[in-house]
């Protein structure tokens, strides 16, 4: 018997219908974007701000939210922390959905979506382009995640033989599933390098971009696991998994310290520490962002607090906000293309992004109810 | 396993992994490539803001050459009212105004004009970032062209251009990126046919001067040496074979040739008597951003050797660790 179980229960609950409504509204604007009006009709994108929330939220931040599967894979398979294994399958599902919808976000942000396949044709490839690496890597990773999640589906369908053969080669996909996010999550940071002066000096750390981006991705990955595991426990009234999460808390502390050392070390090395107290908008955002990084550090440093589910949840949420803000600040909030350009997302733009998130949540709810994703409680 | 022990290994492991990556990234800086050099027969333009009278003949001509509609504002149908570059405008003349705007070319209480169009960078960001090679840099002439056939519309070229030059046609469902291609795109090919750019051809004062980058740079340097108030014989059209010359009093030039060195230099250069930050030019150093980005990228991905090595290591480790805690049911995922 599988160690996983489908949660079962009614699918059409009230929250589910609300999500459905949000998604339906977004469909209307997607129709406008693809059929009647074009991107200009639904968004506030312009000549200076060519990337708005669709790129920055849906892709750059959304995929970091979807790093739970990646972060846990590192813990379980590289550092052999088998005790976290029960958390893997739900995390892989969340990653699969997060990345798939990030891919979808990239598609409706694509100005020339009808020839998206041009990026997959090798004779077009420009090996200097960070975007090429991100595009290809994310596309392959979505397939890899699908393979990693396939056992859940095969179990449900009772395909014992297929499941056995898949399990024999699964280690290959797991290895790829660790390599690929390492590559493209660091590259998401490298995208900032070529934007040069448009990126505020507090975030424009040039060659250190990939390292900082990767560290925030892993941090956010572990935080989302903390977050998901605690909310699922509450939302689906399951037994608490706090004991498992406590250990994750410790890992996060180590990573967080390393991140802050690098973050401030680079600024010191580049002589930019003074900018933190410049008193302008960027310095305010920087301080806010780093307070959000430090709060979880303080919470998680104490073993007592680490053992409390509610404190873990607060730490996880703070870190997710901090990581998101780090990327938002760099790509959008303090981004300055030059005089004459402003950007604030339009309502339809926001609705499309909300629709995508709603769809992601709906899919998650349906799948954990129908497929064996959650770990059986007696094992937990 | 003892909790304390594996906590140590875990932290140690993460830090080592981060340090390894950090090391690679740092060594990447050491190996970052130099700025690119100007193409051997680079052609470009020299825009002398002190000669521009704001007639916008170049804006109109540019629209004709590129077959683009004029931008109409209100009921001013007599002229093109484009205020900035857009999917349908590859060239604009902007005005600088200060205080009473009384004196031409004075930084204080004065006004002057500034041209905005592609700078045809020597080390172009748009080319470096484009995933599908839809922005191309001619290795002989240095002209930067766009090729919509392969473009996916990711708009990285827009954010990767220091001057916000490439523009997307947001208001069309099937839009494309547009930018000045020095009048040399397929079907126009003015430069290949021995003509000059449209904007230089119609410029009545020679404010926009066409020609080989070398000659233009020489000319710009010479103008820097002129004394204010002297008379100088300004060429018009193509500097290698000017249509005519005319005499004019020398203005108070700022000692700065924009595009000689900025971010690796540009083939379209500007000179002015108002400082460039006031004219909206970006704060650029001499190092080009793409040279840093490509250095990092190539160090991390040198022929995919590092990723391949990492994959081999990971596969081995994962294989070890999956067999450690496999269950009979094969519930790995
Ligand atoms: S100005 Fe912009 S569009 Fe023109 S070549 Fe330079 S980077 Fe490319
Ligand atoms: S929008 Fe087109 S030309 Fe610009 S970077 Fe993307 S693929 Fe290249
Ligand atoms: S070179 Fe041609 S396309 Fe470029 S600004 Fe001048 S007229 Fe327009």
């Amino acid at each position: 018997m599988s160690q996983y179980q489908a949660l079962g229960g009614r699918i059409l609950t009230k929250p589910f219908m609300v999500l459905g409504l949000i998604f339906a509204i977004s469909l209307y604007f997607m129709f406008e974007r693809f059929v009647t009006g074009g991107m200009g009709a639904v968004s506030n994108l312009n000549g200076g701000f060519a990337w708005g929330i669709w790129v920055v939220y849906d892709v750059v931040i959304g995929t970091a939210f979807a790093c739970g599967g990646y972060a846990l894979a590192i813990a379980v398979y590289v550092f052999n922390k088998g005790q976290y294994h029960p958390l893997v399958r739900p995390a892989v599902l969340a990653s699969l959905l997060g990345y798939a919808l990030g891919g979808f976000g990239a598609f409706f942000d694509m100005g020339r979506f009808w020839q998206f396949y041009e990026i997959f044709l090798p004779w077009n490839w420009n090996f200097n382009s960070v975007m090429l690496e991100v595009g290809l890597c994310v596309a392959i990773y979505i397939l890899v995640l699908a393979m990693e999640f396939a056992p859940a589906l095969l179990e449900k369908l009772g395909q014992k033989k297929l499941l056995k053969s898949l399990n024999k080669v699964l280690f290959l996909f797991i290895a790829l599933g660790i390599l690929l996010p390492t590559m493209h999550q660091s590259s998401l940071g490298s995208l900032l390098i070529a934007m040069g002066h448009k990126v505020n000096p507090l975030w424009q750390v040039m060659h250190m971009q990939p390292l900082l981006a990767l560290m925030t991705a892993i941090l956010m990955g572990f935080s989302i696991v903390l977050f998901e595991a605690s909310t699922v426990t509450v939302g689906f009234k399951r037994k608490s998994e706090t004991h498992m999460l406590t250990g994750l808390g410790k890992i996060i502390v180590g990573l967080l310290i390393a991140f802050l050392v690098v973050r401030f070390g680079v600024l010191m090395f580049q002589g930019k520490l003074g900018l933190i107290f410049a008193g302008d908008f960027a310095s305010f955002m920087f301080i806010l962002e780093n307070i959000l990084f430090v709060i979880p550090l303080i919470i998680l440093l104490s073993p007592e607090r680490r053992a409390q589910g509610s404190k873990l949840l607060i730490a996880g949420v703070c870190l997710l906000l901090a990581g998101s803000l780090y990327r938002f600040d760099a790509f959008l909030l303090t981004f300055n293309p030059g005089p004459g350009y402003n950007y604030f997302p339009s309502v339809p733009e926001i609705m499309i992004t909300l629709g995508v998130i709603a769809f992601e949540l709906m899919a998650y709810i349906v799948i954990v109810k129908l497929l064996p994703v959650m770990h059986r409680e007696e094992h937990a | 396993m003892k909790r304390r022990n594996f906590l140590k290994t875990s932290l140690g492991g993460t830090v080592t992994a981060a340090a390894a990556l950090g090391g690679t990234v740092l060594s990447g800086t050491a190996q970052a490539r130099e700025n690119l050099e100007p193409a051997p027969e680079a052609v470009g333009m020299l825009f002398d803001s002190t000669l521009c009278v704001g007639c916008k003949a170049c804006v109109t001509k540019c629209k004709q050459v590129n077959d683009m509609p004029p931008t109409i504002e209100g009921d001013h149908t007599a002229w093109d009212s484009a205020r900035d570059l857009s999917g349908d405008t590859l060239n604009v003349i902007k005005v600088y105004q200060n205080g009473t705007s009384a004196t031409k070319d004075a930084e204080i209480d004065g006004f002057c004009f500034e041209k905005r169009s592609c700078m045809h960078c020597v080390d172009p960001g748009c080319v470096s970032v484009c995933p599908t090679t839809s922005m191309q840099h001619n290795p002989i002439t240095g002209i930067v062209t766009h090729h919509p056939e392969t473009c996916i519309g990711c708009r990285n070229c827009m954010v990767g251009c220091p001057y916000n030059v490439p523009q997307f046609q947001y208001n069309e469902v099937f839009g494309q990126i547009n930018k000045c291609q020095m009048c040399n795109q397929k079907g126009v090919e003015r430069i290949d046919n021995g003509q000059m750019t449209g904007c230089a051809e119609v410029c009545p004062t020679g404010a926009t001067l066409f020609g080989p980058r070398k000659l233009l740079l020489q000319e710009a340097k010479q103008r820097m040496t002129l004394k204010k108030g002297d008379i100088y014989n300004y060429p018009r059209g193509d500097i290698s074979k000017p249509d005519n010359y005319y005499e004019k009093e020398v203005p108070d030039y700022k000692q700065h040739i924009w595009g000689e060195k900025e971010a690796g230099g540009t083939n379209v250069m500007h000179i002015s008597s108002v400082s460039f930050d006031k004219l909206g030019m970006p704060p650029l150093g001499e190092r080009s951003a793409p040279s840093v980005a490509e250095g990092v990228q190539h160090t991390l991905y040198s022929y995919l050797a590092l990723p391949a090595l990492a994959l081999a290591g990971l596969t081995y480790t994962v294989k070890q660790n999956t067999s450690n805690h496999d269950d009979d049911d094969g519930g790995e995922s």
Side-chain angles (χ1 to χ4, degrees):
Chain A
M1 185 172 148
S2 167
Q3 46 176 332
Y4 298 96
Q5 63 179 10
L7 293 181
R10 220 153 49 89
I11 288 184
L12 288 180
T13 57
K14 249 199 211 115
F16 189 85
M17 315 251 251
V18 173
L19 292 172
L21 184 68
I22 297 175
F23 178 66
I25 297 173
S26 77
L27 278 180
Y28 169 78
F29 293 117
M30 287 188 206
F31 182 77
E32 204 175 342
R33 183 253 171 278
F34 282 115
V35 184
T36 52
M39 233 187 291
V42 292
S43 77
N44 282 343
L45 296 170
N46 56 55
F49 286 91
W51 288 349
I53 53 169
W54 292 345
V55 171
V56 180
Y57 181 78
D58 297 18
V59 182
V60 177
I61 296 174
T63 60
F65 273 127
C67 274
Y70 164 56
L72 271 185
I74 297 179
V76 174
Y77 300 110
V78 178
F79 295 104
N80 202 14
K81 301 280 171 288
Q83 76 274 27
Y84 299 127
H85 197 247
L87 298 175
V88 170
R89 199 176 266 189
V92 166
L93 172 63
S95 295
L96 174 60
L97 292 172
Y99 265 95
L101 291 159
F104 185 58
F107 180 75
F108 62 66
D109 184 75
M110 220 175 256
R112 293 170 69 77
F113 54 89
W114 64 97
Q115 48 188 45
F116 72 95
Y117 57 85
E118 296 285 347
I119 197 174
F120 298 120
L121 307 178
W123 51 90
N124 285 339
W125 289 351
N126 167 19
F127 287 102
N128 292 330
S129 165
V130 177
M131 183 56 101
L132 175 73
E133 199 269 316
V134 172
L136 295 183
C137 222
V138 168
I140 303 172
Y141 184 52
I142 293 174
L143 299 179
V144 167
L145 280 168
M147 291 306 288
E148 287 185 77
F149 187 68
L153 188 64
L154 293 179
E155 270 170 35
K156 171 82 181 178
L157 299 177
Q159 297 278 3
K160 283 254 150 65
K161 261 175 77 188
L162 216 56
L163 186 60
K164 265 232 156 66
S165 19
L166 176 61
N167 274 333
K168 286 216 176 78
V169 290
L170 206 55
F171 71 94
L172 262 177
F173 289 102
I174 295 174
L176 266 176
I178 296 171
L179 176 69
L180 294 173
T182 310
M183 288 167 66
H184 64 246
Q185 282 298 331
S186 58
S187 288
L188 285 176
S190 303
L191 280 177
L192 291 165
I193 304 176
M195 301 188 206
H197 71 90
K198 298 181 186 179
V199 178
N200 186 282
L202 282 171
W203 287 269
Q204 186 48 291
V205 292
M206 295 311 267
H207 57 274
M208 296 306 279
Q209 295 288 16
L211 181 61
L212 288 176
L214 184 63
M215 293 176 102
T216 51
I218 300 176
L219 272 172
M220 286 176 77
F222 280 122
S223 317
I224 197 82
V225 177
L226 270 190
F227 178 77
E228 276 163 5
S230 353
T231 35
V232 166
T233 312
V234 180
F236 293 99
K237 302 196 178 62
R238 282 167 54 89
K239 222 174 92 200
S240 159
E241 290 173 306
T242 309
H243 64 285
M244 235 184 306
L245 303 180
T246 310
L248 283 188
K250 285 190 200 169
I251 301 178
I252 292 178
V253 168
L255 268 170
L256 201 44
I257 292 176
F259 170 76
L260 289 171
V261 167
V262 177
R263 181 84 172 97
F264 284 88
V266 172
L267 289 182
M268 191 173 74
F269 193 71
Q270 298 182 343
K272 292 177 183 164
L273 284 179
L275 294 177
I276 298 174
F277 307 104
D280 55 4
F281 177 68
S283 84
F284 172 75
M285 291 314 290
F286 182 91
I287 293 171
L288 181 66
E289 176 190 308
N290 281 284
I291 288 177
L292 286 170
F293 274 117
V294 171
I295 293 175
L297 182 63
I298 296 173
I299 293 180
L300 296 176
L301 268 175
S302 122
E304 292 87 64
R305 283 193 292 263
R306 237 180 357 239
Q308 287 169 264
S310 59
K311 292 274 160 47
L312 282 174
L313 187 62
I314 296 174
V317 170
C318 278
L319 254 182
L320 288 173
L321 289 175
S324 309
L325 203 52
Y326 173 70
R327 293 172 179 218
F328 255 130
D329 281 338
F331 278 88
L332 216 47
L333 295 176
T334 67
F335 184 81
N336 181 9
Y341 289 114
N342 297 299
Y343 169 81
F344 192 84
S346 68
V347 171
E349 220 175 330
I350 297 173
M351 280 314 301
I352 289 183
T353 288
L354 287 182
V356 166
I357 299 172
F359 186 81
E360 179 179 347
L361 292 175
M362 282 157 72
Y364 188 87
I365 295 172
V366 171
I367 294 175
V368 295
K369 285 183 176 170
L370 294 183
L371 297 185
V373 176
M374 293 299 170
H375 203 253
R376 280 190 193 283
E377 303 207 20
E378 57 272 25
H379 287 253
Chain B
M1 202 184 307
K2 286 217 184 64
R3 278 190 84 75
R4 181 116 46 82
N5 269 345
F6 73 60
L7 180 76
K8 261 193 211 145
T9 22
S10 127
L11 285 187
T14 4
V15 172
T16 328
L21 186 85
T24 338
V25 173
L26 279 175
S27 65
T29 10
Q31 291 167 30
R33 71 161 170 81
E34 300 290 311
N35 284 349
L36 298 181
E37 291 294 319
E41 288 168 39
V43 292
M45 292 187 271
L46 175 64
F47 177 76
D48 186 334
S49 142
T50 68
L51 299 179
C52 180
V53 292
C55 74
K56 303 209 267 187
C58 58
V59 178
T60 306
K61 180 71 182 178
C62 179
K63 296 243 170 162
Q64 278 170 12
V65 171
N66 292 285
D67 201 12
M68 286 176 171
T71 308
I72 305 298
E73 212 171 79
D75 36 41
H76 300 298
T77 47
W79 61 81
D80 194 303
S81 303
R83 286 167 184 255
D84 215 327
L85 301 182
S86 74
D88 301 319
T89 303
L90 311 186
N91 175 37
V92 280
I93 296 297
K94 293 191 157 192
V95 62
Y96 164 79
Q97 281 174 301
N98 179 274
T100 61
S101 307
T103 328
K104 170 108 166 58
D105 298 319
E107 208 166 279
I108 294 169
D109 286 338
F111 71 99
C112 76
F113 300 103
E114 168 77 336
K115 187 180 194 284
R116 272 284 172 282
S117 55
C118 175
M119 303 294 284
H120 293 273
C121 301
V122 170
D123 196 344
C126 61
V127 173
S128 172
V129 299
C130 176
T132 52
T133 327
S134 307
M135 287 286 183
Q136 290 173 20
H137 184 230
N138 187 298
I140 313 282
T141 60
I143 296 175
V144 178
T145 49
H146 173 63
H147 306 266
E149 327 71 83
T150 55
C151 169
I152 58 171
C154 68
R155 308 192 299 293
N156 202 350
C157 50
M158 299 176 67
V159 293
C161 167
Y163 305 94
N164 303 313
V165 165
Q167 294 287 328
F168 188 73
Q169 296 172 314
Y170 286 114
N171 293 322
E172 281 165 48
V173 176
F174 297 99
Q176 72 165 67
I177 292 276
N178 276 320
K179 75 180 265 300
C180 151
Q181 311 186 64
M182 199 92 87
C183 292
N184 208 36
Q185 62 269 37
K186 254 212 179 79
V188 177
E189 290 144 333
R190 288 177 66 100
I191 313 305
D192 289 351
N193 293 332
Q195 288 172 283
M196 62 181 115
T197 54
C199 50
E201 184 184 88
V202 298
C203 182
T205 65
T208 301
L209 190 62
F210 174 78
R213 183 177 195 267
K214 277 195 196 104
L215 292 184
L216 293 172
L217 188 56
Q218 238 171 43
E219 174 74 20
K221 282 183 175 157
Q222 184 171 352
R223 290 186 196 177
M224 297 289 98
T225 63
L226 301 174
K227 266 220 329 276
K228 179 182 182 228
D230 284 358
I231 298 298
Y232 182 68
N233 211 8
Y234 284 96
R236 221 197 59 88
D238 179 344
I239 193 166
S240 50
K241 42 176 191 233
D243 311 345
N244 49 38
Y245 288 87
Y246 71 101
E247 294 190 331
K248 188 189 159 287
E249 209 174 282
V250 172
D252 188 11
Y253 283 118
K254 285 268 179 290
Q255 294 296 309
H256 186 175
I257 304 170
W258 184 279
E260 184 186 5
K261 300 218 175 84
E262 278 72 17
T266 52
N267 292 334
V268 174
M269 292 169 287
H270 287 212
I271 54 178
S272 166
S273 59
V274 174
S275 47
F276 286 109
D277 56 332
K278 298 216 162 48
L279 297 184
M281 283 300 198
L284 295 180
E286 292 193 5
R287 186 69 189 272
S288 80
S291 71
V292 181
E294 288 179 23
V296 170
Q297 198 68 357
H298 287 301
T299 312
L300 291 177
Y301 293 96
S302 36
Y303 302 99
L304 287 179
L306 197 66
L309 206 69
L311 183 60
L314 280 172
T315 313
Y316 177 77
T317 323
V318 170
K319 180 99 182 96
Q320 290 289 309
N321 290 338
T322 38
S323 40
N324 275 352
H325 42 79
D326 228 347
D327 53 300
D328 326 319
D329 199 53
E332 283 304 330
S333 76

